Amino acid sequence: MKWIYALVVLLGFSLCKSPLPEPINLDELSIAQIHQAYSEGTYSSQDLVKAYLSRLDSLDSALHAISVLNPEALAIAKRLDEEYQKTGKLRPLHGIPMIVKDNINTKGLPTTAGALALSDFYPEEDAFIIQKLTEAGAIILAKSNMAEWAFSPMHSESSTVGTTRNPYNLAHVPAGSSGGTAAAVAANFGTIGLGTDTGNSIRGPSSHNALVGFRTTLGLISREGIVPLYLRNDVVGPMCRTVEDATRVLNVMVGVDPKDPITTKSEGKIPTDYLDYLQKDGLKGARIGVFRTLSEKDTDPEISSLFNQAIKDLEKLGAVLLDSVEVDNFDSLRSGQWCPVFRQDVEAFLADYVKRDSLKSLEDLIRVGTTSDYARAGLENFRDQASPVDQIDACGDAFTDLKRIAFREAIEKVMDSLQLDALIYPSWNSKPARIDFFQDEYKGDNSQLIAPHTGQPAFTVPMGFTSGNLPAGLQFLGRMWSEPVLIQLTYAYEQGTLHRKPPRF
């Protein structure tokens, strides 16, 4: 009978023990939900970081979304937990794990831009926006893979990691160049993400991965400490699963940075709190123009169907839709806007941050080499182009370049005449391409055509899915500094449709 007594004692002991904590369900966790859990003591920052790292360990082998994990993430989480225990106060992004594109300077972690030449470059300081985000309590969980040197809007292939896959359909691209951030955030590897956008690279990958992507007004957010593609176009911004989370990240990122003089243009144009514009009825009475100049250009029938349904949904949610809005001379105004200033911009970055005698020029990057045929062709193409000195006068910023100003004024003139709050069009007119055929199937990228040149803000939000479980995005283009309006419109559309769903891969 002794064994029965021992069993009873053991069972009694087991019943008296505190129950093991339930695993954290990471699917679609929002900042607000995490902060509620912290305040209720459901789990800690350390618990959350461990859960994300475990998920990354088990699933990223299918995606190749991550370039490097932050070995200090748990220690940072521990310090944030201790701070909260002492103060009882949560910072705006307290304990929120973040995925950072691998062309944004992060102290103590490599910033490679996906290239062999920068594979061992460890910045001495965080980029300005990283400082702001970490001061707000965000935890850099990992850096994400990207199209090498941010050259490709089509796919995300690097010499450091390889090719990132779309979590909704592994045979397809996540777009580029911020494909690693997009795939990681879509797959719930982190709570929030950062990308950069020269022409498409926040909005395109966000559209392909059922995310919200904010390309903000040029000058609203500092670009200091990013490896540039064309700095005259480059924007850094949030890539998140919800408009609310993207808005919370935006709140922290904005502001004047002396090292990025264009940010002085934002003075007096930043509201006290962008969260005030998260209004579920934000579409009531809004006037939105349907820009079929883009939406009807060789569009996949399934994308057309989703776009036309989005128009109906916007109307049901209270918006006034003006169809077939046209901009005079649109094709001529948008032509000749690109200025290939990669050489001058990347050489300035090398001089300011990398500071190596062996790595000063574009020719040095070519000498080090690459495993990507696409990146190699891009580097050689920039080498063979005219000297940047010959292009300086023709390649100004969005506030001084007459061609850019004329393009923006033509669009805003139409918006003013029709009293429009925004223009809409599909972020892509085609489905995500197959990885093995990305160059042949790269079609319908609308993100390249307006905002990068005019400097206007453009946000993409999930619009639904096509066959093959492939996401599509709806893009809202606003006037300069109209982020509050775009937040209001995109939040109301998102909440009224709820198209976002997590991938199952």
Side-chain angles (χ1 to χ4, degrees):
M1 296 294 289
K2 287 183 179 179
W3 68 270
I4 296 177
Y5 176 76
L7 180 61
V8 170
V9 171
L10 181 63
L11 285 172
F13 176 74
S14 298
L15 291 172
C16 291
K17 286 174 66 179
S18 299
L20 291 172
E22 298 222 354
I24 301 171
N25 181 2
L26 297 175
D27 277 359
E28 308 300 279
L29 264 183
S30 70
I31 295 169
Q33 289 171 331
I34 291 168
H35 279 179
Q36 182 177 354
Y38 290 167
S39 64
E40 293 174 352
T42 308
Y43 52 80
S44 68
S45 298
Q46 294 170 82
D47 296 329
L48 185 60
V49 166
K50 289 175 184 176
Y52 275 126
L53 289 174
S54 176
R55 182 174 177 85
L56 274 164
D57 183 60
S58 62
L59 295 178
D60 189 46
S61 59
L63 297 185
H64 298 109
I66 299 302
S67 59
V68 65
L69 298 176
N70 183 4
E72 296 298 314
L74 267 174
I76 295 167
K78 183 174 185 291
R79 289 197 294 271
L80 287 165
D81 286 339
E82 291 169 349
E83 175 188 309
Y84 180 52
Q85 289 171 2
K86 290 178 182 176
T87 67
K89 294 181 180 179
L90 294 170
R91 306 189 209 180
L93 298 178
H94 199 105
I96 301 300
M98 172 174 65
I99 307 293
V100 177
K101 186 177 180 180
D102 201 6
N103 63 345
I104 303 172
N105 279 354
T106 47
K107 184 178 180 181
L109 293 172
T111 295
T112 74
L116 297 177
L118 297 181
S119 60
D120 59 350
F121 167 54
Y122 286 73
E124 295 174 357
E125 299 294 339
D126 286 330
F128 181 79
I129 56 161
I130 297 297
Q131 293 175 31
K132 289 174 76 70
L133 288 160
T134 54
E135 285 168 4
I139 301 169
I140 300 174
L141 187 72
K143 302 288 288 286
S144 57
N145 192 36
M146 57 180 284
E148 191 165 333
W149 297 115
F151 284 170
S152 177
M154 299 180 270
H155 72 318
S156 291
E157 176 194 28
S158 71
S159 292
T160 51
V161 175
T163 299
T164 299
R165 295 180 177 273
N166 191 314
Y168 287 93
N169 189 322
L170 296 177
H172 290 254
V173 298
S177 61
S178 309
T181 296
V185 175
N188 291 284
F189 288 175
T191 311
I192 58 177
L194 289 184
T196 63
D197 189 314
T198 305
N200 152 88
S201 296
I202 287 172
R203 293 157 297 146
S206 292
S207 173
H208 275 13
N209 289 271
L211 297 179
V212 173
F214 285 6
R215 180 188 169 97
T216 54
T217 304
L218 266 172
L220 187 65
I221 296 173
S222 170
R223 290 87 46 82
E224 185 277 328
I226 70 162
V227 183
L229 178 49
Y230 305 155
L231 193 59
R232 69 193 297 271
N233 295 75
D234 290 341
V235 164
V236 187
M239 301 171 68
C240 298
R241 291 184 292 272
T242 67
V243 174
E244 180 178 334
D245 279 0
T247 302
R248 290 182 183 276
V249 176
L250 175 66
N251 244 355
V252 171
M253 294 176 73
V254 298
V256 174
D257 174 13
K259 291 184 179 179
D260 187 2
I262 202 172
T263 58
T264 59
K265 301 288 185 181
S266 71
E267 289 183 304
K269 299 179 178 70
I270 299 173
T272 303
D273 192 345
Y274 284 107
L275 294 175
D276 292 340
Y277 300 93
L278 295 171
Q279 301 169 14
K280 286 189 177 182
D281 62 352
L283 281 164
K284 288 185 178 177
R287 293 173 63 83
I288 297 174
V290 182
F291 197 49
R292 294 201 183 271
T293 302
L294 297 186
S295 68
E296 301 306 307
K297 193 171 183 179
D298 300 322
T299 308
D300 183 286
E302 290 186 68
I303 302 290
S304 288
S305 178
L306 291 176
F307 182 62
N308 289 321
Q309 182 59 52
I311 292 170
K312 294 176 184 177
D313 291 337
L314 289 164
E315 289 176 326
K316 287 178 184 176
L317 292 166
V320 177
L321 275 289
L322 282 74
D323 211 335
S324 302
V325 171
E326 295 185 0
V327 174
D328 290 341
N329 303 314
F330 179 78
D331 285 336
S332 62
L333 285 167
R334 77 177 182 88
S335 66
Q337 290 282 352
W338 289 108
C339 276
V341 291
F342 175 71
R343 176 191 283 274
Q344 75 180 58
D345 289 344
V346 79
E347 289 180 356
F349 181 89
L350 295 174
D352 292 342
Y353 297 100
V354 182
K355 304 174 184 176
R356 295 179 189 169
D357 290 339
S358 61
L359 206 63
K360 290 184 174 182
S361 68
L362 175 58
E363 285 73 20
D364 289 331
L365 305 183
I366 294 171
R367 173 181 50 78
V368 174
T370 173
T371 64
S372 165
D373 291 338
Y374 188 93
R376 183 180 300 106
L379 289 169
E380 292 172 352
N381 182 51
F382 285 120
R383 178 196 60 195
D384 297 338
Q385 287 173 350
S387 166
V389 175
D390 301 332
Q391 301 166 348
I392 289 173
D393 291 340
C395 295
D397 65 41
F399 302 94
T400 59
D401 187 310
L402 296 180
K403 288 185 69 173
R404 301 179 77 173
I405 293 168
F407 191 14
R408 178 172 67 247
E409 287 180 345
I411 291 170
E412 293 194 343
K413 178 181 177 182
V414 171
M415 295 180 71
D416 290 344
S417 67
L418 298 175
Q419 297 180 302
L420 298 177
D421 294 297
L423 293 174
I424 59 166
Y425 42 87
S427 296
W428 289 76
N429 287 344
S430 60
K431 301 173 187 176
R434 291 173 293 172
I435 285 175
D436 293 338
F437 305 94
F438 71 89
Q439 288 180 295
D440 295 330
E441 296 179 1
Y442 172 67
K443 299 172 184 176
D445 177 1
N446 287 326
S447 296
Q448 303 271 4
L449 303 179
I450 303 176
H453 313 300
T454 64
Q456 293 168 261
F459 293 2
T460 186
V461 288
M463 185 172 69
F465 292 79
T466 64
S467 57
N469 195 38
L470 295 168
L474 177 65
Q475 193 155 156
F476 290 73
L477 177 79
R479 292 177 179 80
M480 298 290 278
W481 317 109
S482 68
E483 282 76 10
V485 174
L486 293 185
I487 289 168
Q488 189 172 314
L489 301 180
T490 54
Y491 181 72
Y493 174 75
E494 172 199 59
Q495 295 299 302
T497 56
L498 298 176
H499 287 303
R500 162 77 195 171
K501 64 180 181 182
R504 302 294 177 202
F505 64 98

